Every structure is written in structure tokens, then in C-alpha cells.
Amino acid sequence: MQAIIEVRDLKTVFDTNVVHNGLNLTINEGEIYGLLGPSGCGKSTLLREMVMLQKFEGGDIKIFGKSLKRMSHKESQALCRRWGVLFQAGALFTSLNLYDNIALPLKEYTDLSENMIQDIVKFKLDIVGLKQDDAFLYPSQISGGMKKKASLARALSMDPKLLFLDEPTSGLDPISAREFDRLILKLRSLLGLSIVMVSHDLRSIYDTLDRLAVIDNKKIVYEGTLDMIHQEKSEFIQTFFKAAHE
Amino acid sequence: MQQARIEITHKDRELSISFFGEFNLYHINDCESQIKKYDLRTLDKITLDFLQTNSLDTAAALFLNRLQKDLSQRNINIKWLLENKEIEETLQLIRERKIESKNLPSHKKRTFLEYIGDATCKNYRGFLDFISFLGVLFYAKFSALLSWKNLRYKEIFYEMNESAIKALLIVAITSFLIGVVVAYQSAYQLKIYGANIFIVDMLGLSILRELSPLITAIIIAGRSGSAYTAQIGAMKITEELDAMRTMGFDPYLFLVIPRIVALMIAMPILIFISDVMALFGGMIISNIYLDISSSLFIERFSNVIAAKHFFVGIVKGPFFAFLIATIAIHRGLRVQNDTQSIGINTTKSVVESIFAVIVCDAIFSVFFTNLGI
């Protein structure tokens, strides 16, 4: 298996507050990889650093074998098109309808004909389980679950091989959340995606993740599969997974 | 990795297309235009060769699906040379989805007439909405203020500081410059007639009665009115207003009335500052261009300008402030659940409040003239 993301000795500092210090992890191709930890431990920060929304102090992050540290603007733009990001609240462009939200990167970055774009948008809507009738609705007119699906469709519009999900099931009812988990698993097998996600949802963690990393106290306290996690003596892991274990 | 490209060979009635490297959405258009060069009617067989292809994305698979449908309609045979399992799976995935049989809902464009009708109706409704906002404000809310205890003094002083005290400098500088400009323009004309001293009458009347209140109102509408709309609009989007309501805090008492009261108190003060600064500017120009010393200017001023002119200007203040604050807040409350509507409503809030201020000023003019003030 090939590593798609490598984080080495990462150090992040906000003013005087050290968030990560000497953090290491490896995410392999084709994996669904979870980032867990108590709130405020810097999971979302790590995710933001991976997608280049945030600078880090020391260490290095490599994605697709490219180091994010010294990267030209052009390289980083090219890299951005190779992944999709699903934000916690969807972050759909509220001034555009769903069709245009999904079609926007296609229109900006490719020379595809309008017919082809339409086919692609229809396919993306279909694959995330939205109805074609919803295509011309605006983000303010749809429910939370539909927003998540639509922003997933937008994240997938350029056919990325890597997907970042920031708390994909937060704010969804349990039924929609399980449906979303199934959707993620389905997309992974259909499209051969690698997925990195931050999650708090225990069911979702057990149902979807292949491997996970637990961040606590500025470091990774556990990295690996779910089977071995109960033997770990971290306080967070003990309390968090206790409920599921009993 | 192999460079992505396609190669087309044409022989008799046969076309063979080979795909090399990664075939993805960046190459579709190129491929499409290359195929278009050939007259499809002269063909009866097409070979699609994927033996050299590393990978295929879903967009490319959609394109091939479309090509296949197109060709089979023309009774052209397709031969797939395919060994890569992943590519086959991607193609299969697209075929199963039957995208071509799914239709987007019809998306009717509006005609010009429809657009005008819709806009008129919306504006009319917006106006009615504003009237009802004023109704609620007066009937339900001001009555709650009959007791002084219900006024929120902390918010009022905070808003006075934010929207008026912090605007002092800009109001002062702008008024000073207006005074300079008006004096400068009229000095030249007055000099021709030798009517130098009348600049005092002219400046005194125009600045005290009209210019200062208007300039101040326009600055405040642009600076503080827009801030009210944006603040309250953002609060509406983040559901802060709903949260306040559920906790039993009336947004009118907490947000609306303090802002209106604060601006109504602060506006006359700002107009006074503006009067002083504009006259100061005028006085300097009179001194330089018309040789009217400052003591002469002040003496003449106290002789010819009655106090009523000053009060006419000051009295307009609370009225302008009320218009600006209510329009700005009403616009803020009308923000819909998307980010663009904050921008639209802020623009409209500024335009409408300036317009309302000017209309109100015109009414005052007629009113005062008829009263002989």
C-alpha cells in the first residue's frame, strides 16, 4: 500500500499556544482514515493544514509525495484540484444553485462543453443520492442532510482521488447520518477514493473507518485499527470508547 | 508516467482511437474535437483502444458513454480493446447509472415583463413590510418604554459611542471641507459685486439650515446605517435573533430601540459639530480671499443670523436619525438566509435612507417656509 499523506514532526503554534508538537502519521491510499481526539486538540487544525488553509510552524506534510512546505503558488493550485473538501456546515455558495455549485470548478478549470458538464453534474447528483429535481434549488432552500450531500457532490466534481471530510455526520439525524456513512463507503468502493475525516460520531467511526489516529496532548496517542484501541491507556480513549465497549 | 494523449488512425471505413496515459476531464474536449474532424457517416466501425491507458475518471467515462450512445444511433460498430479491470469497472458504473435517461427539471427563464412585475410586487411588499415594522415599533414597543426602567441605557451609550462619537472626526473633516468649498465658490462671485461681507449671511444660512444636517445625515447613513444593516443581517443568518426570541429577549428592545434612540440623541450633537467646523472653514476662506477678519466675521454673524436658523438645523437631526436607523434596521431584519442578501440589503439600506433623508428635508423646507421660520 502506498502512503498518500505523510505527516512528520508537525508543530503548530497559535500565538503562545502550542497545538501540535512532534505529530506523526501516515495515511495510505484507499483508506478511510479518522482523526479523533478531545475537542480543542487540533483535529480540525490538522485537517486545515493538510488542505493548505493554515500554515504550520515546523515539520512537514507530504501529500501525493509532494511536500507542502515550500510549494509554489502554481503547484499548490494544481494540488488543490486533486482533492475535495467537505466542510462541516457544507459551505455551499449561497448565491448559486446546486447545479452551478457543482459545475463551478468544471467551468473554471476545464474546457468541457455544456453538454458534458450537464452529464457530469447529473452523475454527481445521482451518485450522492440527490434527485435531479433538486438541481436548481438554492442552498437556503434545502435541508441539512441535502446540504451535506450537495457539498459532497461539489467536492467530487473534479473527480478527486482524495477526500477530506470535516465532521461529515454532525448536525444530521441518526438515520441520515447512517445513510451518509453508507454513502461514503459506497463512494470509496465505486470511485476508489482515499478519505480523511474528522469525526465524533461513534457509530460512524465504527462503521466506516479503516484506521484512525487519536490526537491528545499535542501528539498522536494512538494510530492503527479499531481492534487494538481498547488496550490503549489514554484517558480520552478510555472514556470515549468505553460506551461502545460495554 | 506516460503523457496523456490520444491517437486516431483512419483507414477506409474504420476509425481507431487509442488512449494513452491518464484519460481524464482535461482531455475530453480535445478528444471530442479530434473525433469531430471525421465524417461519422462514412464510417461503420470504430475501435476504442485502452490497452495503453493507465486510468480513467468518471467524467471521461461519461464522455465515452455519450459517444457510445451517439455511435450506436448511427449504426456504427464499436470494438472495445480493454484489459484494465479498473477502467472497465468505471465504465460499468456509469452505464448502470443510466444518466442519459435522467432529466434535469426544466429551468424556465423569466421574461422581461415577468421580471418587472416581480420586482414591482416585491418592492410594494417591502414597503408594506416597512410600514408594518414602524407599526410594531410604535404600538407595541414604544409603549413598553413608558417606564424609563425599560430603556437599556448600556446599549444606548454603547451604540452612541459606536455610531456617533467614533464618527465625529469624519463628520468634522467633511464639514470643514464643505465650508471651505462653499465659501471659496461664492467668494469669487461676491467679490465681483463688492458684496464681500454678505458671505457671512450666505454661509450662515446655508450651512446652519441645510448643509450641515444633510452632510451629517449622509455620512451617518453611509457609515452607521450600513453597519446596522450588516450587523443585524449577520445576526439573523447565524440565528442569533431567533436565539434571543427563544430566551425571551425581545430583539426590538435589545437591538432596535437602543440603536434608534442612540442615533436620535447623537445626531443633533453631530450636526452642531458640523455647523462649527463648516463655519470655521468658511471663516478661514473669507479671511484669505475677502479680507474679512475673524472678529468681523463673528460680529456680522451674531448680528444677521438669528438663533432660529441654528435650531431649524438641529431639529432636523432626530428626524433624520429616526429615518436612517429604522430603514437600516428594517433592511437588516429582511436579510434572507444567504450571504448575498446582506450585501444587497446593505446597499439598499444606504440608498433608501439617504433618499428618505432628502425627501424629509424637502418637506421640512416647505413646512418652515410656510410657517415663516
Side-chain angles (χ1 to χ4, degrees):
Chain A
M1 245 191 305
Q2 217 181 342
I4 200 163
I5 299 177
E6 284 175 274
V7 180
R8 292 285 163 261
D9 288 324
L10 188 78
K11 188 176 179 192
T12 312
V13 181
F14 287 144
D15 293 329
T16 54
N17 179 18
V18 180
V19 182
H20 307 128
N21 198 358
L23 191 144
N24 291 292
L25 56 85
T26 310
I27 299 169
N28 297 318
E29 208 176 327
E31 253 178 356
I32 300 184
Y33 192 94
L35 297 173
L36 273 76
S39 62
C41 73
K43 309 174 293 277
S44 292
T45 310
L46 180 59
L47 198 76
R48 286 172 63 83
E49 283 167 346
M50 285 177 182
V51 295
M52 298 190 294
L53 285 173
Q54 192 141 11
K55 289 225 158 58
F56 43 89
E57 202 82 356
D60 198 6
I61 299 179
K62 274 187 188 168
I63 298 187
F64 299 116
K66 290 197 180 80
S67 162
L68 299 188
K69 221 173 175 184
R70 277 173 288 277
M71 186 174 267
S72 70
H73 179 70
K74 209 174 153 191
E75 273 180 305
S76 66
Q77 287 292 311
L79 197 57
C80 278
R81 294 185 210 169
R82 296 181 60 187
W83 64 53
V85 185
L86 171 67
F87 288 94
Q88 208 178 111
L92 289 165
F93 302 120
T94 47
S95 54
L96 302 176
N97 58 33
L98 297 191
Y99 181 95
D100 289 328
N101 257 296
I102 300 168
L104 186 70
L106 297 168
K107 284 179 183 160
E108 288 300 317
Y109 291 133
T110 67
D111 50 3
L112 293 172
S113 63
E114 194 55 45
N115 277 336
M116 266 319 292
I117 290 183
Q118 209 181 79
D119 268 10
I120 296 175
V121 174
K122 275 157 69 178
F123 173 67
K124 306 291 169 185
L125 284 173
D126 188 57
I127 204 163
V128 300
L130 285 170
K131 289 196 285 293
Q132 305 289 328
D133 294 337
D134 303 331
F136 296 114
L137 294 177
Y138 283 86
S140 53
Q141 298 169 312
I142 61 177
S143 70
M146 281 168 77
K147 266 185 203 161
K148 294 254 176 183
K149 286 179 182 170
S151 39
L152 189 60
R154 184 181 68 178
L156 289 172
S157 68
M158 296 289 284
D159 250 297
K161 285 287 160 209
L162 176 60
L163 203 57
F164 292 97
L165 312 175
D166 192 359
E167 306 208 12
T169 53
S170 77
L172 296 183
D173 63 274
I175 297 167
S176 314
R178 297 295 77 81
E179 196 191 335
F180 204 83
D181 288 342
R182 280 195 295 276
L183 175 63
I184 288 170
L185 286 170
K186 187 181 83 178
L187 288 178
R188 193 260 298 260
S189 63
L190 287 180
L191 307 174
L193 297 171
S194 313
I195 296 171
V196 182
M197 68 174 178
V198 169
S199 185
H200 284 302
D201 184 341
L202 258 181
R203 272 297 294 282
S204 161
I205 288 167
Y206 275 98
D207 287 353
T208 57
L209 297 187
D210 296 324
R211 288 201 317 140
L212 76 165
V214 180
I215 307 175
D216 200 3
N217 252 328
K218 300 159 196 166
K219 285 191 192 329
I220 300 285
V221 291
Y222 178 81
E223 186 183 17
T225 55
L226 275 159
D227 312 331
M228 308 293 285
I229 198 156
H230 305 291
Q231 286 148 26
E232 202 61 38
K233 292 234 163 12
S234 152
E235 194 189 336
F236 169 75
I237 293 177
Q238 288 298 332
T239 42
F240 190 80
F241 286 96
K242 209 174 142 202
H245 201 48
E246 278 165 358
Chain B
M1 209 195 282
Q2 220 173 353
Q3 182 70 34
R5 67 193 156 88
I6 65 164
E7 248 172 40
I8 300 188
T9 46
H10 186 212
K11 211 174 75 186
D12 299 332
R13 299 176 69 77
E14 226 183 290
L15 197 68
S16 127
I17 308 171
S18 321
F19 300 87
F20 294 92
E22 257 181 73
F23 185 44
N24 60 29
L25 69 174
Y26 299 107
H27 311 118
I28 293 172
N29 203 29
D30 176 45
C31 179
E32 203 173 8
S33 55
Q34 284 201 47
I35 293 172
K36 267 200 191 125
K37 284 183 201 153
Y38 299 94
D39 188 357
L40 293 177
R41 279 168 299 184
T42 64
L43 303 171
D44 26 61
K45 191 176 171 196
I46 283 189
T47 313
L48 300 172
D49 175 3
F50 293 97
L51 298 177
Q52 307 280 334
T53 318
N54 297 334
S55 67
L56 190 77
D57 69 1
T58 55
L62 279 163
F63 166 70
L64 292 169
N65 192 41
R66 188 177 260 270
L67 184 71
Q68 186 188 14
K69 291 270 142 44
D70 190 33
L71 294 178
S72 59
Q73 267 175 12
R74 294 165 191 270
N75 290 321
I76 300 173
N77 277 325
I78 303 173
K79 195 176 153 202
W80 299 80
L81 292 176
L82 193 56
E83 273 175 1
N84 189 328
K85 197 121 199 277
E86 263 177 51
I87 294 178
E88 208 173 332
E89 275 169 9
T90 312
L91 285 167
Q92 197 52 40
L93 166 72
I94 300 294
R95 278 184 203 129
E96 279 166 7
R97 295 266 154 183
K98 295 198 173 59
I99 291 301
E100 63 282 346
S101 63
K102 294 189 170 112
N103 289 319
L104 291 167
S106 59
H107 192 44
K108 210 173 65 179
K109 281 232 163 72
R110 289 196 300 178
T111 64
F112 184 61
L113 264 180
E114 253 177 303
Y115 179 79
I116 290 182
D118 192 47
T120 314
C121 180
K122 269 192 188 140
N123 279 329
Y124 176 66
R125 287 231 177 106
F127 181 71
L128 288 188
D129 198 43
F130 180 64
I131 301 293
S132 92
F133 169 75
L134 286 184
V136 172
L137 197 62
F138 276 109
Y139 174 72
K141 309 302 167 183
F142 274 129
S143 61
L145 296 181
L146 288 178
S147 158
W148 291 106
K149 267 190 281 178
N150 288 343
L151 260 185
R152 307 199 60 84
Y153 296 102
K154 213 177 118 198
E155 274 84 4
I156 291 178
F157 287 120
Y158 175 79
E159 286 305 331
M160 274 175 74
N161 183 40
E162 282 299 310
S163 52
I165 308 297
K166 287 187 178 170
L168 263 182
L169 192 66
I170 185 72
V171 168
I173 293 173
T174 316
S175 308
F176 176 77
L177 290 175
I178 292 288
V180 167
V181 170
V182 173
Y184 195 79
Q185 292 297 327
S186 34
Y188 179 74
Q189 306 292 335
L190 289 170
K191 224 176 184 174
I192 298 173
Y193 298 100
N196 291 14
I197 195 66
F198 287 103
I199 193 156
V200 181
D201 307 43
M202 216 203 83
L203 285 179
L205 280 177
S206 60
I207 287 172
L208 292 183
R209 288 185 74 111
E210 294 294 337
L211 284 176
S212 278
L214 270 183
I215 295 295
T216 313
I218 287 168
I219 291 171
I220 292 301
R223 188 191 171 283
S224 310
S226 57
Y228 287 175
T229 312
Q231 269 171 4
I232 290 179
M235 288 173 97
K236 199 170 167 202
I237 286 188
T238 55
E239 292 184 314
E240 276 175 66
L241 291 184
D242 296 341
M244 288 178 78
R245 283 199 185 96
T246 54
M247 292 159 85
F249 304 138
D250 185 353
Y252 278 84
L253 288 183
F254 277 72
L255 300 172
V256 179
I257 289 172
R259 282 177 167 78
I260 295 176
V261 173
L263 215 53
M264 284 174 78
I265 296 173
M267 193 68 128
I269 303 171
L270 287 174
I271 292 177
F272 173 68
I273 301 289
S274 166
D275 285 342
V276 173
M277 291 306 290
L279 286 171
F280 179 60
M283 195 163 81
I284 288 175
I285 294 300
S286 317
N287 202 345
I288 296 171
Y289 284 92
L290 300 172
D291 293 326
I292 298 172
S293 69
S294 45
S295 55
L296 181 62
F297 189 96
I298 291 168
E299 198 193 319
R300 172 79 186 170
F301 188 82
S302 62
N303 285 339
V304 294
I305 306 293
K308 66 174 184 186
H309 299 305
F310 168 72
F311 288 115
V312 162
I314 295 291
V315 159
K316 289 175 181 176
F319 289 90
F320 290 176
F322 180 77
L323 285 173
I324 293 169
T326 45
I327 290 174
I329 291 165
H330 174 245
R331 276 288 164 194
L333 291 173
R334 287 195 48 171
V335 165
Q336 301 293 309
N337 203 4
D338 60 296
T339 44
Q340 222 182 15
S341 105
I342 290 193
I344 294 171
N345 276 297
T346 309
T347 311
K348 283 192 175 166
S349 138
V350 174
V351 172
E352 282 170 7
S353 49
I354 290 177
F355 179 72
V357 161
I358 291 174
V359 169
C360 176
D361 192 49
I363 295 170
F364 267 123
S365 272
V366 174
F367 184 67
F368 285 135
T369 315
N370 284 337
L371 282 180
I373 301 173

